[in-house]
Amino acid sequence: MRTKGFAKHYYLMLLPGLIWLFIYNLFPMYGILTAFKDFNPGIGILKSPWIGLENFQYMFELDDSKLIFRNTIFIALAKMIANLIVPLIFALMLNEVKNRLFTRTVQTIVYLPHFLSWVIVAGMMLDIFSYNGPVNQILSSLGLGKSLFFADAHSFPALIVGSDVWKEFGFNAIIFFAALTSINPEMYEAAAIDGASQWKRLTRITLPSILPVAVLLATLSMGNILNAGFDQIFNLYNPTVYSTGDIIDTWVYRAGLIDMQYGLATAVGLLKSVVGLFLISLSYGLAYRFANYRIF
Amino acid sequence: MKKSLLSAMAVMLVTASLSACGSSNDGGNNTSNAGNNAQGSNQTDNSGNAAATNTASGNSSNAAATEEAVDPFAKFAEPVEVSIGRAIDPNYKFDGTDTAEDNVYTRWLKDKFNIEIKHAWEAAQGTDYQQKVSLAISSNDLPDAMVVNETQLRQMVKAGQLADLKDVYDKYASPELKATYDSNPGLLDSVTFDGKLYALPETTLPSAPLTWIRKDWLDKLGLQPPKSLADLENIAKAFIDNKMGGDKTIGIVGTQQGGTLYSTFLSSTDHWYNFSPLFFANDAYPGIWTKDKDGNTVYGSTTEETKKALEMMRDWYAKGILDKEMGVRKSTAEVVASGQAGIFFGPWWSAYNNIPDNIKNDPKANWRAYAAPLDAAGKFNSNQATGSSYIVVSKEAKHPEAIIKMTSIHKWGKDEEFNKLTAGKQMTSQEVPLFLILGAGDQLEYAVNSLRKYLKGEMKIEDFDQANYGWAYEMAKHVKAIKKEPFDSYDIGTFDQQADTGFFTHIYAHLNGGSTFVDADVNWVRSIATAQTKTMESRWSNLKKLEDETFLKIIMGSEDISAFDTFVKKWKDQGGDKITEEVNELK
């Protein structure tokens, strides 16, 4: 355990952050009152009349509610899994390359897309998958028919997950690289002397050594199960893919900001937050129990 | 004990950041899809009056006649600051270092009238601006004045955020402004709630979607301009088959990502880059409330005619006549500018905004507007636009009279000094703060007809009614340098694009698109409702989503045409019937 006298300084250093958190994150939470009120912007949130659970009732009446929750969970879950496996495999593969210059270069290049905004990446994606774009040209030169991917409700989730993985896998791999470098090289040397093959060394030393990190990341990402990526989908979707691509956040955006149904939008957002709180608590609990993970 | 406290705190922190993520979707996510919205137009003062006929001196005399009346064009004794929310066009090019906040117009406003414009915030026009306005309303953080749409106006009235303009309007509005509103009966009543005047509405400029076609392509292929839907189909097909715009020629372009298939009763002026005419020619009026054969109120999107139109469009889409990427495309303007497409639909003023980019790339691109396609009975149909922009003034504003004055000044306050400063450059919504289209309904008709007569020598420049149609007069002064013979043809080759670049687009738009529209015999169909009813407030977004999704899917072939009947049933069940009843009561 840590020395107790020392810990107090840490809390002091935490203070500015906590104040910031209070002002920008905790204080604005009073806005969730809007979900239970007939919000009138002219008189403010506090003075608007209470209407109880009417907004929630209406939310559950809507066909859309089930759909957007289902879409959100499906896309977010697929992203979580893909964003764990792809970077892991990538890190393992690159780890086997011994040329330092090469690995460094590749690492730098693949993590660059992380810094591009979705507005830009979405524009690129729409172009690449457009009706006369490169993908369709390859398909038609292979004798396959052209199709408009972003207007196809079946392929839309796959494109969302795929483009997200493309953008983020280099960045997500960084944590695996860090875990890989922390493996004691003596283990590899000992294994090599004992005659273990390259493959054996990978499966018996590397994988078990970074498994805890992978498990930890997986557990912690559970809290994100209701975050399917507003920026990305908002820039890529259109009415034809509402059935598979409309997520909670885009729906809340349309209801709240376009149609000015503040109460309803807040109610849906609040429900999302409550479920998210539950999942985050759960994932922290699991991480704490099984991966020995602590925030403090 | 301590540990559990800490972990509870940790959970709290994580929650807080999560909820922040949640709420930031309402607020922070201004992922600006700039250019996403086809309305990216700079309104110009088409019906404007640039002439200096009504200067301050001219009015002070008759103002003095009535007791307590004030000169609407007098300079404020003290500098008056007006904060506004402003829609800007990121691509607009100002002279020198001018900006939307500080340009030749705002400087003149300050020097001449002591009105100082401050921008509370700026947002790109279109979706971004609307979003910013909605945010300002919901957070009750309002500038002194801004331009809003009808839904926002009603929201603000309901929330009690607006100043009653009745007294300042009576006192400060110039006689011309009052005359303009008087010549549009009912307009001010539509923004008067409980006897209080809450906004200055724009006067409706007529606008029906015309069919714009590359006539140079028609000529090359020896085709005639279209009359019927079948003609249009054949032309589009010929354009594609003959690769008029290269290998990637697109037949008919329209709706882009975030756009709509047709204009609706809530945004009826939005005839830009959509497919409205294909519905109108089928006698279908989706998106507005009409009467059926028996006189009952019906929502146009649920009628058999709309189904027929969708079926036709589905067929055209499958044949590749309609843009394969409709609804997904980022920018329709881009394919028009690059010369890939030879047909689109747009109002007469499309020649202001869409076509010049294409002409720049290809000076021979001869776009012409046609009042087509006609319906089976040979009529050219269109839904009728209702005004959709309003200047509103916040309750908190210190000088509501300054806003009334600005509105008068914009149209009728321009003097010799102003003309010298601007050197004939037409001021657009980018220079003029709180730009509102105001004018008698026949401005366009007068401008087009008198210009034509003037060119033919049937009318002299002195014959122009400068006082009421100053803009027509202003254009007449420039028209002879730009329009060459033959005067009855408006092909691009008969215009000198370089002689007077400041006026070329004005003259070109008026003579090309304007003349087609003025000559057209339009069968106007008006929506019974022009604003949301009670039930719509909660149900409409859901119903509209259902409609948008179903229609686009039917056209693009991912749903069968039978999905239309399912849609109608669902629409009625989910509140449509109740809304129809409410609209019926408006009749």
Side-chain angles (χ1 to χ4, degrees):
Chain A
M1 286 304 285
R2 291 156 223 144
T3 28
K4 281 194 174 150
F6 207 20
K8 283 177 187 154
H9 301 290
Y10 285 143
Y11 292 134
L12 207 62
M13 285 165 72
L14 197 62
L15 202 62
L18 283 177
I19 293 171
W20 181 85
L21 205 63
F22 178 78
I23 295 175
Y24 290 106
N25 291 339
L26 287 181
F27 175 67
M29 278 173 76
Y30 89 94
I32 58 179
L33 288 178
T34 316
F36 307 96
K37 292 191 160 203
D38 180 13
F39 177 52
N40 180 339
I43 52 178
I45 293 172
L46 292 178
K47 285 185 190 151
S48 294
W50 293 95
I51 51 164
L53 293 176
E54 207 176 282
N55 283 321
F56 289 89
Q57 237 167 19
Y58 179 45
M59 173 175 93
F60 287 113
E61 276 174 31
L62 283 177
D63 282 356
D64 278 359
S65 309
K66 273 165 261 149
L67 182 81
I68 59 172
F69 269 88
R70 206 181 59 216
N71 288 343
T72 308
I73 291 174
F74 178 76
I75 291 175
L77 202 66
K79 273 187 181 176
M80 271 164 52
I81 295 168
N83 272 327
L84 196 70
I85 291 172
V86 175
L88 178 65
I89 293 173
F90 171 71
L92 289 176
M93 276 162 56
L94 204 62
N95 193 44
E96 296 302 318
V97 179
K98 293 302 170 211
N99 184 336
R100 298 289 285 167
L101 185 71
F102 178 76
T103 53
R104 283 285 156 90
T105 318
V106 170
Q107 235 178 303
T108 311
I109 292 171
V110 298
Y111 96 133
L112 278 180
H114 169 78
F115 296 100
L116 292 177
S117 124
W118 267 117
V119 180
I120 296 165
V121 179
M124 284 162 50
M125 288 293 159
L126 288 176
D127 260 355
I128 293 171
F129 289 94
S130 69
Y131 196 71
N132 288 310
V135 174
N136 268 321
Q137 283 182 1
I138 294 171
L139 282 182
S140 63
S141 70
L142 291 174
L144 299 164
K146 287 182 175 184
S147 83
L148 193 53
F149 296 97
F150 276 104
D152 179 0
H154 298 291
S155 60
F156 189 75
L159 284 165
I160 289 294
V161 174
S163 57
D164 188 59
V165 168
W166 173 80
K167 190 170 176 293
E168 301 296 339
F169 82 96
F171 193 78
N172 290 333
I174 289 176
I175 212 156
F176 290 116
F177 284 123
L180 285 170
T181 48
S182 70
I183 301 171
N184 191 345
E186 282 177 16
M187 287 204 281
Y188 290 112
E189 285 159 20
I193 290 168
D194 286 344
S197 68
Q198 193 86 355
W199 178 249
K200 277 258 148 66
R201 274 178 268 166
L202 178 73
T203 52
R204 297 293 157 93
I205 302 174
T206 317
L207 269 183
S209 306
I210 61 168
L211 201 61
V213 177
V215 172
L216 181 65
L217 286 178
T219 328
L220 287 180
S221 65
M222 262 179 67
N224 273 328
I225 196 145
L226 290 180
N227 286 325
F230 173 82
D231 290 17
Q232 181 190 13
I233 293 179
F234 180 71
N235 279 295
L236 288 170
Y237 80 157
N238 60 70
T240 49
V241 294
Y242 278 161
S243 58
T244 58
D246 200 16
I247 57 167
I248 300 174
D249 294 337
T250 48
W251 191 91
V252 168
Y253 164 80
R254 289 202 310 274
L257 273 185
I258 306 291
D259 297 313
M260 300 200 277
Q261 299 187 35
Y262 307 114
L264 180 63
T266 315
V268 176
L270 178 62
L271 187 71
K272 181 191 154 186
S273 296
V274 169
V275 178
L277 169 64
F278 170 74
L279 287 169
I280 282 207
S281 316
L282 186 73
S283 69
Y284 180 74
L286 289 175
Y288 180 79
R289 253 183 100 174
F290 298 110
N292 209 20
Y293 175 82
R294 289 182 181 85
I295 289 176
F296 292 98
Chain B
M1 182 66 202
K2 192 164 186 182
K3 205 162 79 185
S4 67
L5 184 81
L6 285 179
S7 60
M9 219 168 126
V11 171
M12 243 172 73
L13 297 189
V14 181
T15 322
S17 59
L18 180 94
S19 79
C21 297
S23 64
S24 75
N25 294 333
D26 301 310
N29 262 316
N30 285 347
T31 27
S32 71
N33 47 341
N36 192 4
N37 197 313
Q39 307 167 12
S41 67
N42 296 330
Q43 293 175 309
T44 44
D45 207 348
N46 297 323
S47 55
N49 186 337
T53 45
N54 297 297
T55 51
S57 58
N59 279 294
S60 48
S61 54
N62 55 20
T66 39
E67 196 205 1
E68 212 211 345
V70 219
D71 174 9
F73 299 102
K75 184 175 182 172
F76 280 104
E78 298 289 317
V80 167
E81 199 180 289
V82 176
S83 73
I84 61 169
R86 185 76 181 268
I88 54 160
D89 174 0
N91 299 318
Y92 187 79
K93 290 191 184 55
F94 287 97
D95 292 335
T97 55
D98 279 5
T99 62
E101 195 172 5
D102 178 19
N103 59 55
V104 63
Y105 187 88
T106 58
R107 283 191 297 269
W108 173 73
L109 212 52
K110 181 166 185 311
D111 294 344
K112 179 91 194 177
F113 302 100
N114 245 338
I115 299 174
E116 213 171 319
I117 300 300
K118 283 269 176 291
H119 283 191
W121 43 261
E122 293 174 350
Q125 59 191 7
T127 325
D128 283 2
Y129 177 74
Q130 298 306 339
Q131 192 174 316
K132 192 80 194 173
V133 170
S134 298
L135 267 180
I137 296 171
S138 60
S139 58
N140 203 18
D141 181 14
L142 299 166
D144 289 343
M146 53 186 180
V147 178
V148 302
N149 65 30
E150 177 153 357
T151 311
Q152 288 158 343
L153 168 69
R154 277 167 198 276
Q155 178 94 14
M156 294 176 91
V157 169
K158 200 175 137 207
Q161 292 171 317
L162 295 178
D164 176 9
L165 299 173
K166 188 93 185 70
D167 295 342
V168 278
Y169 173 80
D170 287 346
K171 200 165 160 193
Y172 289 93
S174 75
E176 298 88 350
L177 181 61
K178 285 179 182 162
T180 302
Y181 280 130
D182 290 344
S183 73
N184 290 277
L187 198 55
L188 282 187
D189 295 338
S190 72
V191 291
T192 306
F193 301 83
D194 298 332
K196 296 190 177 81
L197 179 67
Y198 280 123
L200 295 180
E202 74 179 4
T203 54
T204 311
L205 263 188
S207 141
L210 307 169
T211 303
W212 290 83
I213 301 185
R214 282 283 293 264
K215 184 153 173 281
D216 49 332
W217 292 5
L218 283 181
D219 293 344
K220 217 179 262 177
L221 299 172
L223 293 166
Q224 288 302 310
K227 287 222 157 46
S228 63
L229 282 164
D231 294 347
L232 190 65
E233 185 184 357
N234 289 334
I235 291 168
K237 200 162 171 318
F239 282 0
I240 301 169
D241 291 347
N242 293 290
K243 302 200 165 131
M244 299 308 289
D247 285 341
K248 293 175 184 170
T249 306
I250 304 162
I252 305 174
V253 288
T255 316
Q256 61 188 5
Q257 196 213 18
T260 52
L261 286 172
Y262 38 81
S263 62
T264 67
F265 72 104
L266 289 174
S267 60
S268 56
T269 49
D270 192 6
H271 270 312
W272 198 326
Y273 283 149
N274 60 26
F275 293 107
S276 293
L278 297 183
F279 290 96
F280 297 159
N282 276 297
D283 212 13
Y285 306 94
I288 68 167
W289 300 85
T290 57
K291 274 182 226 158
D292 65 9
K293 280 177 230 97
D294 313 321
N296 298 319
T297 303
V298 60
Y299 183 52
S301 298
T302 59
T303 59
E304 276 304 307
E305 287 85 2
T306 299
K307 184 178 177 181
K308 214 180 104 207
L310 286 173
E311 224 168 341
M312 180 198 83
M313 290 172 72
R314 179 187 163 87
D315 177 46
W316 285 19
Y317 182 85
K319 288 184 190 158
I321 285 165
L322 298 184
D323 180 12
K324 279 281 176 195
E325 288 177 57
M326 59 186 274
V328 184
R329 185 176 289 291
K330 269 275 171 203
S331 163
T332 301
E334 210 176 280
V335 285
V336 170
S338 70
Q340 253 175 283
I343 307 172
F344 72 87
F345 303 115
W348 70 267
W349 39 265
S350 298
Y352 268 101
N353 303 81
N354 314 26
I355 292 165
D357 283 339
N358 187 220
I359 300 179
K360 237 175 264 162
N361 296 331
D362 178 2
K364 293 210 162 54
N366 185 20
W367 287 98
R368 290 287 285 118
Y370 298 99
L374 310 175
D375 69 4
K379 279 184 300 185
F380 179 61
N381 304 320
S382 173
N383 64 14
Q384 192 173 22
T386 51
S388 58
S389 286
Y390 303 86
I391 292 178
V392 291
V393 180
S394 158
K395 200 164 59 175
E396 314 286 332
K398 287 204 184 66
H399 298 284
E401 73 276 12
I403 287 130
I404 303 282
K405 271 192 167 188
M406 279 168 66
T407 312
S408 299
I409 291 165
H410 166 212
K411 294 289 295 181
W412 297 282
K414 292 160 185 169
D415 54 9
E416 282 306 330
E417 191 192 334
F418 176 83
N419 288 346
K420 214 180 285 165
L421 282 171
T422 54
K425 187 173 188 269
Q426 181 72 355
M427 296 288 107
T428 71
S429 58
Q430 296 305 297
E431 281 97 3
V432 182
L434 304 176
F435 188 102
L436 208 60
I437 294 173
L438 288 170
D442 63 343
Q443 290 280 344
L444 176 70
E445 206 177 325
Y446 182 89
V448 170
N449 287 335
S450 58
L451 280 179
R452 288 198 282 209
K453 278 190 201 151
Y454 177 61
L455 280 170
K456 281 188 205 144
E458 292 166 13
M459 197 172 161
K460 288 198 204 70
I461 190 117
E462 303 86 58
D463 300 339
F464 276 76
D465 182 355
Q466 263 194 66
N468 295 313
Y469 303 97
W471 180 232
Y473 170 72
E474 201 65 23
M475 281 195 295
K477 288 201 292 194
H478 296 262
V479 72
K480 287 206 161 148
I482 295 166
K483 183 73 184 82
K484 302 291 168 203
E485 293 202 57
F487 292 135
D488 55 352
S489 157
Y490 306 118
D491 290 349
I492 189 77
T494 68
F495 290 86
D496 186 338
Q497 298 176 35
Q498 301 306 327
D500 190 342
T501 45
F503 267 82
F504 166 67
T505 34
H506 296 301
I507 307 255
Y508 181 62
H510 277 80
L511 288 180
N512 184 355
S515 67
T516 305
F517 178 65
V518 167
D519 295 342
D521 183 13
V522 186
N523 173 34
W524 296 105
V525 178
R526 237 183 110 79
S527 181
I528 295 168
T530 56
Q532 294 205 335
T533 63
K534 183 92 191 59
T535 310
M536 274 195 232
E537 279 172 23
S538 61
R539 302 278 156 161
W540 196 247
S541 58
N542 189 37
L543 294 174
K544 190 76 179 63
K545 180 189 155 173
L546 191 68
E547 180 179 329
D548 290 347
E549 185 180 2
T550 313
F551 284 15
L552 207 52
K553 275 187 161 172
I554 288 176
I555 296 171
M556 296 175 83
S558 47
E559 291 255 30
D560 204 61
I561 187 72
S562 62
F564 182 83
D565 301 325
T566 326
F567 154 75
V568 173
K569 196 179 170 306
K570 265 198 203 161
W571 187 89
K572 287 184 169 163
D573 291 347
Q574 293 180 11
D577 271 342
K578 186 144 182 243
I579 293 169
T580 310
E581 259 170 52
E582 289 174 353
V583 173
N584 202 25
E585 282 161 23
L586 295 173
K587 208 158 46 170

